[in-house]
């Protein structure tokens, strides 16, 4: 563990943020393994619920900030697990709508309990003020990155 801390101190801020994201994701994946849910599966379910269910595949992909093609395999797996169903939109037959099944909704309740436990474990020893400050800082970095990307695209 001491070696891990030494490595972390030697990394740049971007590397530290990337490492933190990977560690958090790995902890969540390990916690959700008994539910047979990988990161891509549980985040798709979570996002589907947060979008109030019954959304197009494209809307879900955009909300997850991934390409639609990348989402298709995950949706197929979730469908095979009986957690979602897909059907054509009544308004546009080219559009496929993704909906949670009753089983999918039940699994989301389990996901929430597991993810909240991971969150409590990973944020142990960090008070609300520190957490709020960290959140503000990463939001500023994200805004700066988006601004930089939009400036680069405009050139």
């Amino acid at each position: 563990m001491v070696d891990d801390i030494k490595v972390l101190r030697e990394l740049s801020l971007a590397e530290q943020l990337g490492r933190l994201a990977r560690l958090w994701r790995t902890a969540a994946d390990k916690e959700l393994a008994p539910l047979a849910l990988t990161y891509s599966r549980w985040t798709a379910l979570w996002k589907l619920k947060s979008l109030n269910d019954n959304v197009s595949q494209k809307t879900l992909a955009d909300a997850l900030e991934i390409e639609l093609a990348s989402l298709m395999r995950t949706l197929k797996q979730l469908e095979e697990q009986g957690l979602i169903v897909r059907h054509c939109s009544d308004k546009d037959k080219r559009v496929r709508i993704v909906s949670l099944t009753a089983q999918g909704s039940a699994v989301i309740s389990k996901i929430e309990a597991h993810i909240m436990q991971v969150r409590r474990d990973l944020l142990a020893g960090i008070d609300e003020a520190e957490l709020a400050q960290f959140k503000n800082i990463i939001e500023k970095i994200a805004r700066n990155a988006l601004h930089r990307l939009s400036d680069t695209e405009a050139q």
Side-chain angles (χ1 to χ4, degrees):
M1 175 145 165
V2 172
D3 288 336
D4 287 346
I5 300 223
K6 182 180 176 193
V7 167
L8 187 59
R9 286 187 183 133
E10 293 172 357
L11 299 176
S12 72
L13 179 59
E15 291 170 320
Q16 288 180 38
L17 289 171
R19 183 168 188 263
L20 174 60
R22 285 188 304 276
L23 288 169
W24 196 302
R25 177 180 170 168
T26 301
D29 280 351
K30 185 176 180 181
E31 181 73 18
L32 294 171
L35 300 177
L37 293 171
T38 60
Y39 178 82
S40 60
R41 291 184 204 178
W42 77 260
T43 55
L45 288 172
W46 189 280
K47 189 60 73 173
L48 182 58
K49 181 188 178 210
S50 73
L51 293 170
N52 296 317
D53 202 5
N54 299 307
V55 299
S56 73
Q57 294 177 150
K58 175 73 171 122
T59 298
L60 183 57
D62 290 347
L64 290 165
E65 298 179 348
I66 61 174
E67 295 294 324
L68 180 58
S70 300
L71 179 61
M72 299 308 289
R73 180 172 180 242
T74 298
L75 293 179
K76 181 177 186 283
Q77 293 165 337
L78 290 170
E79 203 166 34
E80 288 170 353
Q81 286 181 277
L83 303 177
I84 64 159
V85 292
R86 294 183 282 176
H87 58 278
C88 290
S89 167
D90 294 336
K91 297 175 185 169
D92 185 344
K93 298 298 179 193
R94 297 170 297 175
V95 175
R96 303 267 297 171
I97 302 298
V98 183
S99 305
L100 288 167
T101 63
Q103 183 181 350
S105 292
V107 166
I108 285 181
S109 295
K110 293 177 184 175
I111 290 171
E112 288 171 344
H114 286 280
I115 292 303
M116 289 310 297
Q117 185 59 53
V118 169
R119 185 179 193 279
R120 281 189 295 273
D121 292 347
L122 297 184
L123 298 178
I126 301 170
D127 66 39
E128 289 300 319
E130 290 172 315
L131 190 57
Q133 183 178 17
F134 179 67
K135 184 178 179 188
N136 287 335
I137 290 168
I138 60 174
E139 286 173 355
K140 285 178 184 178
I141 294 170
R143 275 194 307 274
N144 291 343
L146 290 170
H147 180 72
R148 180 175 172 81
L149 291 172
S150 67
D151 284 351
T152 303
E153 290 172 2
Q155 293 177 357

